[in-house]
Amino acid sequence: MRTARLTLDRDFAVGPVDRRLFGSFVEHMGRCVYTGIFEPGHPAADERGFRTDVLELARELGVSVVRYPGGNFVSGYRWEDGVGPDRPTRLDLAWRQIETNRFGLDEFVAWSRAASVEPMMAVNLGTRGIQEACDLLEYANHPSGTYWSDQRVKHGAAEPYGIRLWCLGNEMDGPWQIGHKTAEEYGRLAGETARAMRLVDPGVELVLCGSSNSSMPTFGAWEATVLEHAYDAVDYLSLHAYYEEDGDLQGFLASAADMDRFISSVVSTADHVAAKLRSRKKINLSFDEWNVWNATRFRGRGRSPFEEAPRLIEDTYTAADAVVVGDFLITLLSHAGRVSVACQAQLANVIAPIRTEPGGPAWRQSIFHPFALTARHAAGQVLRVEPAGPVLDTARYGEVPQLSAVATATEDEVVVFAVNRSAAETLELRADLRDVGAARVVEATAIAEEDPHLLGGPDEEVRPRPLPGVALDRAILTAALPPASWSMIRIARDA
Ligand code: AHR
């Protein structure tokens, strides 16, 4: 068994744990909204049609912020269709759906409050522009006494919603996007939209679209160009990434190493633009779509008929998927300070930790567990870890560290999150915790199924179980991390 070592030092903090890293995403796509979070007539629905079983799971998941209403959907969306008594049924061209508009902004804000999450809105910069974005912001955030704010009041919301986070469009570099643009076109439009939105409400925090993923041919150049146009007017730059196994388990288990490189290169590009513009302002990142998505299967489907709430990309997740999701969270935490917002895509049914059946049950998928445990126990400061240990040579991503780890510390507790990325070998973890005053192990939990392809389902076949053989001897922690495993070890600190 090979060994990976790390040392924790209370003075080497990366930054505070930002709760906004535990975000999610609700898009009008497939059954995320309709029969996902919203299903009037369901036995568990409240008077507003919100499924309370899903609300409970969202709370248990520990979601902090939820992005809405898309995704590709937003690029053809008329937000006014989703407010007030008259709700036209429309064609949604992004996903070939029939959109009834029974659920819209007012319902989303009410749902966010019921779920105790911060809403994060996206404006349509595909088929629409500055005026519609300002109208939407006026409707949401202006107190009253103007046309749009009074419409909100008329629809039952006397107080402004005070929505802080706004995305300036979605994946505008993607040729699949309705109203897709060049970097020059989008940079100009986004910059001008941002400036106008700040005139409506100076308190907003604005997210500029980065590349749809790091394999886009314009990746890097896109970020630099759009930032040059909008640097002074925005707060964050977005990243999106999806990963899948696609017949290569070892490569897949190393996915978070790629996410790590992706983040570092976008940080470098943002800092390069800051230097070029002689700006002291730092642009942080919003990783507002990330997850495991078996997209190869999805791409193969033919053109579907227009349907209401179709079953789209309802992936059932495995044990390996849960391990990789745990590793993504480790990676996002280890970039605390530069990644300020992160949203797992999506919350219900559509590549989601929560699955539902119309009129039936709701359940946790395998990927629910590492998210819920990390959101619950990662707190205080993120500590620098920098493990030293064996390296895996993968066909997909080259050499990657076998151990992925991060630690967080409050006054009472240190938590080590660790992934053994090897598909085949157990890894010994040795962590020197003398400087953080480690007193005793409170909990050691792992997702480590013998069969990494074990599928989770309503019976939660894949779930966290106690990790055996964890020892703390004079503040040196040792653990044997099984192959393809995610672990969380909580250690009480000396008073
Ligand atoms: O989350 C599913 C889709 O993936 C989103 O609509 C889009 O932004 C991304 O390509």
Side-chain angles (χ1 to χ4, degrees):
M1 183 165 44
R2 298 195 288 176
T3 302
R5 295 167 200 277
L6 58 91
T7 302
L8 296 188
D9 187 313
R10 73 188 85 196
D11 292 328
F12 290 166
V14 187
V17 175
D18 195 329
R19 300 316 303 172
R20 281 178 167 177
L21 292 183
F22 306 113
S24 190
F25 175 32
V26 166
E27 176 167 8
H28 283 247
M29 175 179 178
R31 299 192 309 111
C32 187
V33 173
Y34 304 108
T35 72
I37 64 169
F38 178 74
E39 189 179 344
H42 186 279
D46 66 13
E47 66 292 351
R48 297 164 295 190
F50 302 160
R51 281 187 65 153
T52 55
D53 51 350
V54 177
L55 272 172
E56 266 165 43
L57 287 174
R59 283 190 216 105
E60 183 186 325
L61 189 60
V63 170
S64 54
V65 53
V66 176
R67 181 169 173 252
Y68 173 85
N72 297 345
F73 172 81
V74 79
S75 296
Y77 182 50
R78 285 171 268 211
W79 68 269
E80 309 89 318
D81 289 348
V83 297
D86 302 319
R87 307 280 180 108
T89 293
R90 303 265 194 201
L91 289 182
D92 158 39
L93 304 179
W95 300 111
R96 299 185 62 78
Q97 301 170 136
I98 301 288
E99 174 56 58
T100 62
N101 283 305
R102 288 178 79 191
F103 190 97
L105 173 63
D106 298 319
E107 288 77 19
F108 177 63
V109 171
W111 182 88
S112 298
R113 287 180 184 163
S116 306
V117 302
E118 178 185 0
M120 176 184 194
M121 287 297 296
V123 301
N124 174 354
L125 291 188
T127 58
R128 307 188 105 187
I130 302 174
Q131 188 59 62
E132 293 89 348
C134 288
D135 291 347
L136 169 54
L137 182 57
E138 181 187 320
Y139 181 96
N141 284 7
H142 193 73
S144 63
T146 62
Y147 178 76
W148 285 115
S149 58
D150 285 346
Q151 289 293 308
R152 186 200 66 242
V153 175
K154 204 165 112 193
H155 300 152
E159 294 303 317
Y161 293 147
I163 300 172
R164 300 267 64 88
L165 274 170
W166 294 81
C167 302
L168 299 160
N170 176 70
E171 296 190 350
M172 297 310 303
D173 62 324
W176 59 85
Q177 200 70 214
I178 299 169
H180 149 238
K181 293 177 174 45
T182 65
E184 290 287 345
E185 289 165 346
Y186 172 69
R188 284 268 304 134
L189 176 61
E192 294 309 318
T193 305
R195 288 177 196 105
M197 287 176 75
R198 288 195 190 284
L199 297 175
V200 179
D201 179 354
V204 291
E205 296 171 55
L206 300 174
V207 184
L208 186 68
C209 287
S211 297
S212 303
N213 58 70
S214 60
S215 40
M216 294 300 288
T218 48
F219 173 57
W222 171 277
E223 278 74 5
T225 304
V226 299
L227 277 173
E228 280 180 29
H229 281 290
Y231 202 90
D232 62 309
V234 302
D235 303 282
Y236 309 108
L237 180 64
S238 78
L239 295 82
H240 291 181
Y242 294 99
Y243 296 87
E244 66 181 320
E245 182 173 333
D246 202 17
D248 172 12
L249 175 63
Q250 185 54 81
F252 175 58
L253 288 169
S255 297
D258 182 72
M259 180 194 242
D260 182 55
R261 292 169 193 163
F262 183 22
I263 294 170
S264 299
S265 37
V266 177
V267 165
S268 305
T269 306
D271 291 350
H272 160 80
V273 177
K276 212 170 153 191
L277 299 177
R278 316 277 190 277
S279 174
R280 292 214 187 114
K281 175 177 168 181
K282 207 192 269 178
I283 294 287
N284 280 350
L285 310 188
S286 172
F287 212 127
D288 44 44
E289 283 188 36
W290 65 265
N291 209 351
V292 173
W293 174 3
N294 294 301
T296 307
R297 263 185 262 149
F298 177 65
R299 276 187 220 108
R301 95 211 142 115
R303 184 169 251 230
S304 53
F306 280 98
E307 250 182 276
E308 205 176 311
R311 287 184 185 266
L312 283 185
I313 57 171
E314 299 194 0
D315 284 8
T316 297
Y317 288 109
T318 64
D321 295 334
V323 170
V324 170
V325 161
D327 203 356
F328 290 150
L329 289 161
I330 288 173
T331 306
L332 291 165
L333 279 167
S334 64
H335 285 277
R338 279 325 283 265
V339 181
S340 306
V341 182
C343 304
Q344 188 182 36
Q346 300 186 3
L347 182 68
N349 292 324
V350 177
I351 46 170
I354 300 171
R355 279 280 287 278
T356 70
E357 273 304 311
W363 66 93
R364 302 167 191 83
Q365 294 234 64
S366 67
I367 60 170
F368 184 100
H369 300 292
F371 191 113
L373 288 168
T374 308
R376 192 174 321 142
H377 294 295
Q381 292 288 323
V382 178
L383 297 183
R384 206 182 294 166
V385 168
E386 289 173 25
V391 161
L392 299 168
D393 196 4
T394 69
R396 219 187 269 194
Y397 302 119
E399 291 196 341
V400 305
Q402 183 173 344
L403 175 71
S404 169
V406 75
T408 62
T410 60
E411 273 184 17
D412 307 324
E413 190 172 280
V414 169
V415 188
V416 177
F417 299 92
V419 162
N420 175 5
R421 291 173 173 158
S422 168
E425 286 176 14
T426 300
L427 178 69
E428 186 196 36
L429 168 69
R430 285 184 78 81
D432 183 339
L433 308 186
R434 285 173 296 186
D435 189 73
V436 295
R440 77 197 147 80
V441 175
V442 176
E443 179 187 356
T445 297
I447 296 174
E449 300 294 342
E450 235 166 73
D451 174 8
H453 295 121
L454 182 68
L455 282 173
D459 294 332
E460 292 184 33
E461 293 81 354
V462 179
R463 65 172 104 79
R465 302 173 206 275
L467 175 68
V470 175
L472 188 68
D473 183 12
R474 280 164 286 180
I476 305 291
L477 174 78
T478 51
L481 306 178
S485 66
W486 172 90
S487 302
M488 176 188 78
I489 305 171
R490 295 171 52 211
I491 301 130
R493 297 178 79 176
D494 284 329

